[in-house]
Amino acid sequence: MPNPFLQAIHRYPVKSVAGSGPGEAVVEPWGLAGDRRWMLVDPEHRFVTQRARPRLAAATATELPDGGVRLTAPDMPPLTVEVPQPGTTVTVEVWGDKVEAVPASGAAAEWFSTYLDVPVRLVHMDEPGRRRPTDPAYSRPGDTVSFADGFPLLLTTTASLDALNALVAEGGHAHEGPLPMNRFRPNVVVEGTAPWDEDAWQRIRIGEIAFRVVKPCGRCVMTTTDQRTGQRGKEPLRTLARHRRVGDQLLFGQNLIPESTGTLRVGDPFEVLDRRPEA
């Protein structure tokens, strides 16, 4: 088996919207620079994602050098959204967390509302270092996160995806596979490990940066959404329910918290620093 390495990096400027696969990315304490700093909310200021609005999968947000985003989507004119000026914030909700955010322009709200055919608003996290702490049950005081579901980065491996796709095919559902990695919206993808070996990791290093592996990722209906079309099937949740269920969670991937900052580059070496005692 070749030495493990960082096979891909993914950054999603707007939560639940398609992003990009840069060759390198800066790691900040709360995640990749520019990752999920923007989010859609409904009129009650609750977060809006592909879970309820799968059409978001077909929209794309490209980060601009100044932190703004350029939005594109089928049958919509492109729109450039500037980072809103610091000022009055609104309290928004993401997974039960109350978070302060700055509303984006009215043009951004109109663009997304037209595309989704429901009223929504785009907001920006201006100071991720102080806006949203991570779950204290799995982190340390001072750990923070952007608008990602719960932790700064999500890691997946190509070996585990291959293993999952083999299980999908064995279950008689090959017509839905093989599933691409974008169904799982990871930040970092590692190649060259054994299938499911990530279950045993406690600390890892990618390139120059060490990470704590804090919690496996429980998967939801978003993974059944074709990220090109927004159409839904039954996989991988059907297969994960048979083979990767722990309690009420269907697991694929691992959540990470960085121990330092730095730059990740595709091709960086990967190593496991510590394994869980029970592994």
Side-chain angles (χ1 to χ4, degrees):
M1 181 177 292
N3 292 329
F5 66 96
L6 180 59
Q7 188 259 354
I9 299 170
H10 298 282
R11 181 167 52 207
Y12 313 94
V14 179
K15 183 177 179 67
S16 230
V17 170
S20 62
E24 63 180 54
V26 172
V27 176
E28 299 174 329
W30 42 84
L32 297 183
D35 185 63
R36 296 177 174 97
R37 291 285 296 274
W38 304 79
M39 183 176 72
L40 291 168
V41 296
D42 65 15
E44 286 72 45
H45 292 172
R46 295 176 302 221
F47 73 122
V48 174
T49 72
Q50 287 183 39
R51 293 167 182 85
R53 303 295 170 186
R55 197 160 187 246
L56 284 172
T60 299
T62 304
E63 186 185 23
L64 302 175
D66 62 358
V69 289
R70 181 169 175 80
L71 305 173
T72 58
D75 303 318
M76 294 293 294
L79 179 69
T80 296
V81 183
E82 297 180 350
V83 175
Q85 292 296 316
T88 303
T89 62
V90 295
T91 303
V92 300
E93 181 181 340
V94 52
W95 290 118
D97 295 336
K98 302 294 186 180
V99 183
E100 294 302 306
V102 183
S105 66
E110 182 179 355
W111 192 92
F112 271 114
S113 297
T114 299
Y115 178 61
L116 295 178
D117 198 28
V118 292
V120 292
R121 194 176 189 183
L122 184 65
V123 298
H124 181 258
M125 185 180 286
D126 55 344
E127 298 182 65
R130 59 189 289 262
R131 293 301 188 195
R132 186 182 175 211
T134 52
D135 186 340
Y138 300 96
S139 54
R140 299 172 182 171
D143 288 337
T144 60
V145 62
S146 63
F147 285 132
D149 276 354
F151 297 92
L153 287 91
L154 176 65
L155 174 148
T156 58
T157 72
T158 57
S160 293
L161 179 61
D162 290 345
L164 176 61
N165 277 322
L167 292 171
V168 170
E170 289 171 9
H173 307 295
H175 62 283
E176 284 202 46
L179 303 173
M181 191 66 83
N182 65 11
R183 290 289 187 96
F184 302 95
R185 296 176 64 86
N187 293 115
V188 290
V189 181
V190 172
E191 185 169 328
T193 61
W196 314 120
D197 192 48
E198 61 270 26
D199 292 346
W201 301 344
Q202 189 169 46
R203 290 179 68 245
I204 61 172
R205 179 181 289 120
I206 307 174
E208 62 185 24
I209 306 171
F211 298 86
R212 305 196 310 275
V213 184
V214 294
K215 182 181 181 295
C217 185
R219 310 315 303 220
C220 70
V221 70
M222 274 182 61
T223 59
T224 69
T225 307
D226 187 313
Q227 293 298 297
R228 298 169 301 166
T229 66
Q231 298 300 307
R232 282 191 169 145
K234 294 185 180 299
E235 294 294 355
L237 293 186
R238 179 165 48 190
T239 297
L240 289 175
R242 296 202 315 270
H243 298 280
R244 296 283 298 168
R245 180 189 293 276
V246 176
D248 61 353
Q249 297 282 295
L250 310 181
L251 305 181
F252 189 88
Q254 294 286 337
N255 290 293
L256 308 180
I257 296 178
E259 294 186 348
S260 63
T261 58
T263 300
L264 293 177
R265 297 175 178 86
V266 170
D268 277 348
F270 169 88
E271 63 177 316
V272 178
L273 300 177
D274 296 304
R275 291 180 175 270
R276 301 189 182 282
E278 66 272 17

